[in-house]
Every structure is written in C-alpha cells, then in structure tokens.
C-alpha cells in the first residue's frame, strides 16, 4: 500500500510539468515531505468547465483531501480508511467503480515511503521496521494514478464553501524491481504519454490501464525513522541513511 509520500514541488513547477491549463488550486501548499492521510494534496484532473458544459474537458490543478469519501457515505471519516484502491478490484468495487469511470486524476509525488521488517530484533524481540523512501532514479516526478470524488455535507447550506468535500485515493498495484524488495504493493504510475488518456472523462472504460506494472525505474533506500511521526516534516526525511546492526555491521 501507499500510506505516506512526499510532494515538495511548488505549484508553478506542477503547472508546467503537467501542462495544466487552469490553476484551480485556491491555496499554495507548502512542500510536504510527510504526506499522510486526510492531508490536502495537489491533484491534476480534466473537467468540462461549468460555464461551458458543451465544451471540451480542461486540464486543471486542484487541492483535494487524501482519503476518498464516496458520495453515498454518511460520514466523511470513512475517508481515512480509503487512501488506497487496489488495481485488481477498482473497476468493480462499489466504493470506487463510478469514480474510476468518470473521475480519474494524477497525484504528483517525489516518492513514497514503505516499511520493511529488519532482521536484527534479536531473540524474542519485537520486530523492527525500517522505513524506505522509493523514488524515480532519475529524480523526475511520479504521476500516481488516482481517483477523486465529491461528497455533500447535507448539514450545510448550498452557499457554504464547506458544503462540498473533494477527496482522492491512490490506486496501488504489485510492486516490482527495487520497490518490490521493500513491499509487495506500490502506487500505480501513469507514463507521461498516457496522461491525457487517463485523465480524459470521455474515456469511460480505462481498464486497459489495469495491467501489471512493467519495469518501474524506481530507487529504494533506507531513511530515518523520524518519518514514523506525522509531526516531523522536512527534506531530511528523504535523505539516505546507513543502517547497522548491534555489532556495527551494515545491513543496508
């Protein structure tokens, strides 16, 4: 699964990188090296403007909340449990089926975190988990496949800006290459030449994308356990570290 990731590029970089036509992000998010569920995140999507319902879909940058809340949900708290959608079931599962058909997006990231059990806990000791940061080897941006959904708070009037909550989830798939040595799941990534097709709401059947990942070009390396706490945030969280056992022997 993907439960934490880093997104440190500023808004202008993302507008240019993803060739966004409309800046719909009402706020400038600070660089976040420890993105956790329920946090606001940038998302790229294509939508037909309300002012021109007969026009074409326009690529936009928006700020959403991570953790998808289905339109039928009674309580938005369910979103904290729906941060990931499995590629194997996303097209059929009721929670994601409609969003997969109509509301696909890209979630920009510099990389993501996963935890692997270390083998140096000792006899009878509690297993220790080592965090890893997994990122493109070339330093480029990751375009994680995502879905987004609108949820209406019926307790608020129509003109209340908080009446609508827009949330998202990351689609995950089987992990390969270096990523697969750390965890068996990873975010599903969309290649640049397929961004337009993935985002196009006029393509109702995107199941061609739901295939096992090929070579990922990702690099994995151990990082500080400081990332374990969502209170910690900064570039030091994605810096490589050397991991040693109790005898000073390098484990990674």
């Amino acid at each position: 699964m993907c439960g934490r990731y880093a997104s440190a590029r500023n808004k202008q970089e993302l507008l240019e990188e993803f060739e966004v036509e409309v800046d719909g992000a009402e706020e400038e998010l600070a660089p976040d090296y420890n993105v956790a569920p329920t946090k606001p995140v940038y998302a790229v999507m294509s939508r037909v403007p309300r002012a021109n319902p007969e026009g074409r879909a326009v690529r936009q940058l928006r700020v959403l909340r991570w953790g998808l809340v289905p339109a039928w949900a009674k309580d938005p708290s369910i979103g904290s449990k729906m941060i990931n959608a499995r590629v194997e079931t996303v097209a059929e599962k009721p929670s994601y089926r409609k969003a997969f058909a109509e509301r696909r997006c890209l979630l920009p990231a510099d990389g993501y975190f996963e935890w692997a059990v270390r083998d140096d806990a000792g006899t009878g000791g509690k297993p220790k988990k080592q965090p890893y940061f997994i990122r493109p080897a070339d330093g480029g941006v990751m375009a994680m496949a995502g879905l987004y959904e609108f949820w209406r708070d019926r307790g608020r009037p129509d003109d209340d800006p908080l009446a609508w909550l827009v949330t998202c989830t990351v689609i995950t798939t089987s992990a390969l290459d270096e990523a697969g040595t750390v965890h068996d799941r990873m975010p599903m990534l969309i290649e640049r030449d397929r961004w337009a097709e993935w985002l196009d709401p006029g393509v109702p059947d995107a199941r061609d994308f739901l295939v096992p990942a090929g070579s990922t070009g990702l690099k994995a390396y151990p990082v500080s356990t400081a990332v374990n706490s969502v209170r910690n945030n900064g570039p030091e969280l994605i810096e490589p570290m050397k991991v040693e056992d109790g005898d000073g022997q390098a484990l990674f």
Side-chain angles (χ1 to χ4, degrees):
M1 65 174 291
C2 175
R4 300 278 184 85
Y5 68 94
S7 181
R9 286 172 167 78
N10 63 47
K11 183 166 71 169
Q12 188 58 43
E13 288 181 276
L14 296 178
L15 292 173
E16 296 174 3
E17 180 74 25
F18 287 88
E19 300 178 347
V20 172
E21 299 170 85
V22 173
D23 178 5
E26 298 180 355
E27 56 183 307
E28 173 93 31
L29 298 180
D32 196 338
Y33 295 88
N34 200 355
V35 179
T38 74
K39 276 190 171 185
V41 298
Y42 284 125
V44 178
M45 62 184 68
S46 288
R47 292 186 61 81
V48 176
R50 289 185 181 179
N52 185 19
E54 301 302 319
R56 67 177 180 85
V58 176
R59 190 174 296 186
Q60 309 173 24
L61 182 71
R62 300 281 181 175
V63 174
L64 313 182
R65 193 176 83 169
W66 186 20
L68 190 137
V69 179
W72 45 259
K74 294 182 179 180
D75 189 322
S77 63
I78 192 176
S80 62
K81 301 176 182 179
M82 299 180 67
I83 62 171
N84 291 160
R86 293 177 66 90
V87 70
E88 295 87 353
T89 57
V90 68
E92 289 81 29
K93 197 168 183 178
S95 299
Y96 306 115
R97 184 172 54 211
K98 190 169 183 180
F100 178 71
E102 302 176 3
R103 289 179 288 277
R104 298 179 296 274
C105 65
L106 297 172
L107 301 171
D110 297 294
Y112 67 100
F113 297 95
E114 282 295 357
W115 283 256
V117 176
R118 290 171 51 172
D119 59 4
D120 62 334
T123 303
K126 184 178 180 180
K128 298 179 181 179
K129 288 190 175 183
Q130 172 62 47
Y132 283 77
F133 189 58
I134 304 171
R135 68 186 309 170
D138 62 5
V141 66
M142 291 175 60
M144 301 190 297
L147 307 176
Y148 66 97
E149 188 59 275
F150 295 91
W151 182 80
R152 177 69 166 87
D153 185 345
R154 301 297 177 184
R156 296 180 180 274
D158 291 342
D159 59 354
D160 188 333
L162 299 179
W164 287 95
L165 178 65
V166 191
T167 59
C168 61
T169 189
V170 176
I171 299 177
T172 66
T173 187
S174 299
L176 298 176
D177 303 333
E178 284 196 33
T181 65
V182 180
H183 195 276
D184 63 352
R185 304 293 294 182
M186 62 173 281
M188 176 177 141
L189 306 179
I190 305 296
E191 298 296 328
R192 183 181 296 270
D193 61 358
R194 302 199 74 186
W195 286 356
E197 184 183 0
W198 172 255
L199 295 174
D200 188 353
V203 178
D205 189 350
R207 281 177 289 185
D208 285 348
F209 286 87
L210 305 183
V211 296
S215 181
T216 63
L218 298 178
K219 175 183 179 181
Y221 55 84
V223 293
S224 168
T225 55
V227 72
N228 294 353
S229 172
V230 296
R231 294 190 296 271
N232 297 325
N233 204 322
E236 67 278 3
L237 297 183
I238 64 172
E239 290 296 318
M241 68 169 291
K242 184 177 180 180
V243 181
E244 299 179 341
D245 63 16
D247 298 323
Q249 298 297 313
L251 294 175
F252 306 100

